[in-house]
Amino acid sequence: MNTKPCFDEMLTAPDQVRDPYSVYYDWFSRDDVKRLRKKSQDAEAFFRRIGITFNVYGQDEADERLIPFDIVPRIISAKEWSRLERGIEQRVRAINAFLHDIYHRQEILRAGRIPRELISGNEAFTPEMIGVNPAGGVYTHIAGVDLVRTGEDDFYVLEDNVRTPSGVSYMLENRETMLQMFPELFAQMKVRPVSAYPQLLRRSLSASAPVNSRNASPVVAVLTPGIHNSAYFEHAFLADQMGAELVESHDLRIEDGYVAMRTTQGYRAIDVLYRRVDDAYLDPLTFNPESLLGVPGIMDVYRAGNITIANAPGTGIADDKALYSYMPDIIEFYTGERAILKNVPTWRCSEPDALKYVLDHLCELVVKEVHGSGGYGMLVGPAASKKELAAFEAKLRAKPANYIAQPTLSLSTVPILTKAGLAPRHVDLRPFVLVSPDRVDITPGGLTRVALKKGSLVVNSSQGGGTKDTWVLGD
């Protein structure tokens, strides 16, 4: 197990505060803890009132829960953010170039930089996208890059989310809540705003509209699987904030080679569909024939260049955790530069030597499914029981290619408000990125997820984690 001391983002020693937190710490020290606890209760009541919940699948008890929110912000300096911003943009541009390449000439495979079987045998690879050119050449219009920190200058990318990244509504509501509760803090500190995200999203999607549009200005709609989806709150929230229509499959049909949505004035052609439906359910004529969540024939319209689907079908291959281990090579291949942000060292269990090492050190490692998400299907070796270790060893031996392993990192901590006052908890960060044909926009901050259980490294809300507001300071 990694016993390296955790980096505390607020304190270098008791009562010695890192510069980004200095103003906040002075303010907190003068405030009344009872008042802050009352503010915390007010925030919970606000979240409950407007319905900021998430669903937990596969459990017998009630599956809809309030996402926990901590009122102590995470604070990042302008200098720290500047480096992260450069690294994130570099990574997202490389991913977009990679996606275009593997669905066209596959130069990276010809050059031997990635094993061909990692693509051809991958369930996330979508042959139906071969030769398709998305409008403006953009595959991943919306991305979320999960980052962790282990030291003053040590940031790592934990994973990429370029299929249908979620959580941006929590980021926006967290900020709105903090602005209402602590206006005096925002008056004292130069916190960069995040409220422009919906407008930037609308602009970015509109800029990616196909040239064959039938509309004077691009028509954008959000496709949701419906109210029972775990992220439905976010789908409805973003549609409302963008001024776009929220649609389900029964609201759509193919009309004269275009996708049209039902309105009170009849059917109207859509230019850009921000879909929150997985590839497999997008078009029953192309993918899963039993799907009721998609639009029959939409892939034919897409291939004809008459609609933009964001994110593009087939982008999920870049979320693959085995492929993640090649990201430094991917970045160098397409940009000619070294990766600004580091990868976490990764063992690919499909390789016999790597599998042997992982089995021999299972109690020290974090093991993840290559297509897993939400903290499901993973093992945190140092926190696992002998029974859990044995069960996971059997899974690894049965299907080694389904897993990768990584060292247990000493994730940084930031303070949360507890009954006893401030206490450190582990965090990660998901900045949100918008890509259009002419620019990349990165929201200053993102969603900080926090492991509310003492000592826990698992930050996912489905596994007992919560969220907090992320403040990026201006220059």
Side-chain angles (χ1 to χ4, degrees):
M1 181 176 176
N2 194 337
T3 56
K4 180 184 173 183
C6 299
F7 175 70
D8 190 315
E9 295 191 19
M10 185 173 77
L11 300 173
T12 56
D15 295 327
Q16 290 186 17
V17 185
R18 290 184 65 249
D19 192 52
Y21 278 87
S22 57
V23 174
Y24 179 84
Y25 190 78
D26 288 344
W27 173 88
F28 182 88
S29 301
R30 294 192 305 270
D31 212 316
D32 179 10
V33 174
K34 288 183 180 177
R35 184 184 86 95
L36 293 175
R37 288 203 199 98
K38 175 65 168 60
K39 291 279 189 182
S40 186
Q41 292 168 358
D42 291 345
E44 182 177 325
F46 172 71
F47 275 42
R48 193 177 300 280
R49 189 166 64 250
I50 64 174
I52 304 180
T53 60
F54 67 97
N55 286 9
V56 178
Y57 298 120
Q59 299 195 14
D60 294 331
E61 66 264 28
D63 63 354
E64 194 166 330
R65 299 181 187 174
L66 190 73
I67 190 161
F69 173 64
D70 179 66
I71 64 169
V72 182
R74 182 191 199 168
I75 305 174
I76 299 171
S77 72
K79 182 181 177 183
E80 289 166 341
W81 182 251
S82 177
R83 178 172 167 245
L84 290 178
E85 213 168 27
R86 292 195 311 274
I88 292 165
E89 179 169 350
Q90 178 197 56
R91 194 172 183 100
V92 171
R93 287 189 183 279
I95 287 173
N96 199 66
F98 164 75
L99 287 166
H100 184 274
D101 184 28
I102 62 159
Y103 289 117
H104 289 80
R105 289 187 55 80
Q106 300 190 336
E107 298 287 359
I108 198 166
L109 304 186
R110 296 167 192 252
R113 299 295 288 270
I114 293 177
R116 191 170 290 273
E117 60 272 15
L118 194 62
I119 303 299
S120 60
N122 198 308
E123 64 182 57
F125 180 68
T126 307
E128 293 84 358
M129 282 296 293
I130 292 174
V132 178
N133 292 302
V138 180
Y139 284 80
T140 178
H141 306 78
I142 302 106
V145 180
D146 288 354
L147 302 171
V148 293
R149 187 176 193 175
T150 60
E152 184 79 43
D153 299 310
D154 298 319
F155 290 90
Y156 290 87
V157 176
L158 195 61
E159 61 183 56
D160 302 290
N161 298 276
V162 296
R163 188 167 22 196
T164 49
S166 62
V168 74
S169 59
Y170 301 136
M171 173 191 78
L172 294 168
E173 290 291 8
N174 288 353
R175 176 59 56 85
E176 186 62 28
T177 302
M178 293 291 281
L179 281 166
Q180 289 182 28
M181 292 196 301
F182 305 112
E184 72 278 14
L185 262 175
F186 288 90
Q188 293 179 49
M189 302 176 70
K190 293 181 181 177
V191 182
R192 292 180 61 184
V194 299
S195 57
Y197 178 89
Q199 290 72 44
L200 288 172
L201 175 60
R202 174 76 190 226
R203 193 215 71 85
S204 183
L205 292 174
S206 296
S208 300
V211 294
N212 301 338
S213 173
R214 285 186 168 182
N215 300 297
S217 59
V219 173
V220 179
V222 179
L223 175 62
T224 177
I227 59 171
H228 299 295
N229 184 266
S230 63
Y232 180 76
F233 168 83
E234 178 159 295
H235 307 165
F237 176 88
L238 288 175
D240 178 61
Q241 293 288 307
M242 280 197 293
E245 293 296 327
L246 182 69
V247 297
E248 296 182 37
S249 58
H250 55 77
D251 299 314
L252 305 176
R253 73 183 187 191
I254 308 300
E255 215 176 57
D256 300 327
Y258 287 80
V259 177
M261 65 180 173
R262 182 167 47 196
T263 73
T264 52
Q265 286 83 40
Y267 278 85
R268 185 182 185 190
I270 296 171
D271 298 301
V272 183
L273 191 63
Y274 176 21
R275 52 87 178 225
R276 299 297 293 261
V277 171
D278 288 344
D279 285 1
Y281 304 102
L282 194 56
D283 184 344
L285 300 184
T286 303
F287 303 116
N288 183 347
E290 297 181 2
S291 171
L292 300 175
L293 302 177
V295 186
I298 191 173
M299 284 299 292
D300 290 334
V301 177
Y302 182 64
R303 280 188 282 258
N306 291 341
I307 192 169
T308 293
I309 298 174
N311 287 342
T315 55
I317 185 77
D319 284 357
D320 182 273
K321 291 182 176 65
L323 191 71
Y324 157 92
S325 62
Y326 289 96
M327 274 307 299
D329 296 292
I330 289 171
I331 290 168
E332 188 176 344
F333 187 82
Y334 295 108
T335 69
E337 305 164 349
R338 294 191 63 147
I340 296 169
L341 295 174
K342 294 179 282 191
N343 260 30
V344 179
T346 302
W347 290 273
R348 296 181 286 269
C349 297
S350 58
E351 299 170 5
D353 289 347
L355 176 63
K356 183 179 185 306
Y357 178 87
V358 170
L359 291 172
D360 289 344
H361 298 83
L362 200 54
C363 62
E364 304 167 17
L365 303 173
V366 176
V367 187
K368 304 175 184 178
E369 289 183 350
V370 294
H371 297 299
S373 63
Y376 295 105
M378 67 182 285
L379 174 85
V380 181
S385 66
K386 288 185 178 180
K387 184 178 179 182
E388 288 168 334
L389 288 168
F392 224 90
E393 180 179 342
K395 290 181 183 179
L396 276 168
R397 291 187 185 279
K399 293 184 176 179
N402 281 10
Y403 298 93
I404 55 99
Q406 295 170 333
T408 308
L409 298 179
S410 298
L411 303 189
S412 64
T413 62
V414 301
I416 67 166
L417 185 66
T418 69
K419 291 180 180 178
L422 295 180
R425 294 292 186 271
H426 297 294
V427 287
D428 75 357
L429 176 65
R430 178 175 291 181
F432 294 97
V433 190
L434 298 173
V435 184
S436 60
D438 59 339
R439 61 194 277 181
V440 174
D441 291 297
I442 303 171
T443 305
L447 181 67
T448 286
R449 300 183 299 178
V450 54
L452 296 173
K453 297 175 184 175
K454 185 178 179 180
S456 174
L457 295 171
V458 182
V459 299
N460 304 80
S461 53
S462 55
Q463 308 290 309
T467 68
K468 53 169 64 233
D469 197 10
T470 310
W471 293 4
V472 172
L473 302 181
D475 290 331

